[in-house]
Amino acid sequence: MNVLSEVPRPPPAVVEVFYNGSKLTPAPLIDWLAEGQFDDSGSRTSTLTRITLTGTVLVSPSGSYEQMFVKQEELRAMFAVDYADFVIIAGPANQTLTPGTIISSGLRPKVNSVTVPADTQFIRIDYTVELEDLVTASGVSGVTSSLSDQWSFREDPDTCTVQVTHNVSAEGVDGEPDKFEQAMRAVKARIGIDKLPIEIPYFVEPNASGLFGFTHPSNPSGGPIFEVSVQREEVADVPNGTYQITEIFTIVSGVPFYFTQHTESFEEDANGVASVTIAGTVQGLGRTITVGLGDGGVGFERASSGFINYVKPGLRWDASGVYAKFKEGGTGSGLAIFNPTAYSVTQNKCRGTIDFSITFTDDPAANLPSGIVSSTNSVSIVEGIRLFASHAIPFRRLGNVIQDIKTTTEGSISIQCQATAKNTGDATADTNRAIQFVQDELNRLKTLHANSANFVTLRIANLNQQFSTTDLTGQATLDFAFTVDLATVPDINSNIALRTA
């Protein structure tokens, strides 16, 4: 919580003072006192640094007592935490340093007192804050005899992310009754991705300092860093006064809630039927063990939302692009992108992940409208032919007498269609969808193959329909009888001409 003065047109600050990430304005006067601590042999063991902040908070022109009391509460809340970062940076009016440059950091003092002296407390309050920091001879800040705060970074080329390992360990001062508590306090004050120094990672990419910022005591105006905490470990040695924490994060550049990776494969068989498979993983950002949330926490929630709302809708278009690139002479429109032949999703709530795989094909049998999973149709045509009469003559050595009747036999057309609907949980609606598709197909094929303009006479000889709400299927057979002009029927002395589809 910042403690800020409220005055018209305040002058720009030369320096800015922060404690625990909160800013004091105007910057207070700072009194430094360093006291050496020595052992019996006269060797320096540590330096006790006493810091006194003396300042004023203004609210002008009103500055009622109630407003000034709120400022007092903000001041007390700001210094209610011990062993937080005490940082001084260059302000916008600094003439020698670039604004934001760190002037002093590395001190994590405890708060001895916060004093607001008695006064009218109108328009202004004065305050004094006493801080104390013990720095060992090795330069370690805080009441410890040793402290290690190590960061390591490793690029993951498979996910385009960076794994960050943060290890913090400390040992309390020998001879102190609260040696373990000292070590634990020092470590606890340093854990969390927000403690990542602003300068690093420098070489590893994507990097926090180069591509996106994060909230840090030395850069309070920075933006968020996006991380997944995948592991936390702690080791406590109470008798020897040591405490250690290891935390592992994954940081991502430019993706606020999840990141995803996938592979794309293309196959084509000997018959020229091609298939495209997209398979991958969506990783949600954030802890999967979150107080107040269900299994999987915020990490799994973000993985689910990212997959359902953003990743899944684009899979068919990704597959279409792969098909257009690798299918010889093909375009993306040849792929049945609305009827995948296989689709699977596997969720892992503890890991906060969604694994997926989806396959599309350009097999004509799969190129169906949405909601229909399979369909077959056939057209059978028996042509009308020249009619002959055969007369058996007793004792005739040359066989029957064949007589040309000068007319044709009646031909027939049989159209059969069958469809299976996708199961949506409503058997009646699904079956009706299959029936509607069969009906449309019958009429489409009837227009193509049973057009009355192509025949002398044409009539419906039979219409048969079947459906099943158990199998979600519909099927129908439509039969026609027709006659044609004798001049158009097949002739023994001419080539046979077949009807086209």
Side-chain angles (χ1 to χ4, degrees), residues 139-168:
V140 176
S141 171
V143 188
T144 59
S145 61
S146 67
L147 177 66
S148 174
D149 191 345
Q150 184 181 50
W151 297 84
S152 63
F153 306 88
R154 181 177 63 83
E155 295 177 0
D156 186 341
D158 294 328
T159 61
C160 299
T161 60
V162 172
Q163 180 174 291
V164 182
T165 302
H166 185 206
N167 186 281
V168 187

Side-chain angles (χ1 to χ4, degrees), residues 28-41:
L29 299 175
I30 304 175
D31 179 68
W32 300 79
L33 174 62
E35 298 179 359
Q37 309 290 309
F38 304 90
D39 59 18
D40 294 340
S41 66

Side-chain angles (χ1 to χ4, degrees), residues 294-313:
D295 293 344
V298 66
F300 179 70
E301 284 187 354
R302 289 174 172 175
S304 300
S305 175
F307 174 71
I308 293 170
N309 297 315
Y310 300 100
V311 176
K312 181 182 177 183

Side-chain angles (χ1 to χ4, degrees), residues 86 93 126 182 194 350 463:
F86 179 73
D126 299 321
Q182 293 171 358
D194 61 310
C350 187
L463 174 60

Side-chain angles (χ1 to χ4, degrees), residues 196-207:
L196 181 67
I198 187 68
E199 298 86 2
I200 56 176
Y202 170 74
F203 182 65
V204 171
E205 294 181 353
N207 61 79

Side-chain angles (χ1 to χ4, degrees), residues 311-334:
V311 176
K312 181 182 177 183
L315 293 178
R316 62 184 56 159
W317 308 116
D318 292 340
S320 181
V322 173
Y323 179 84
K325 181 185 297 183
F326 296 109
K327 175 74 173 182
E328 186 175 353
T331 64
S333 61

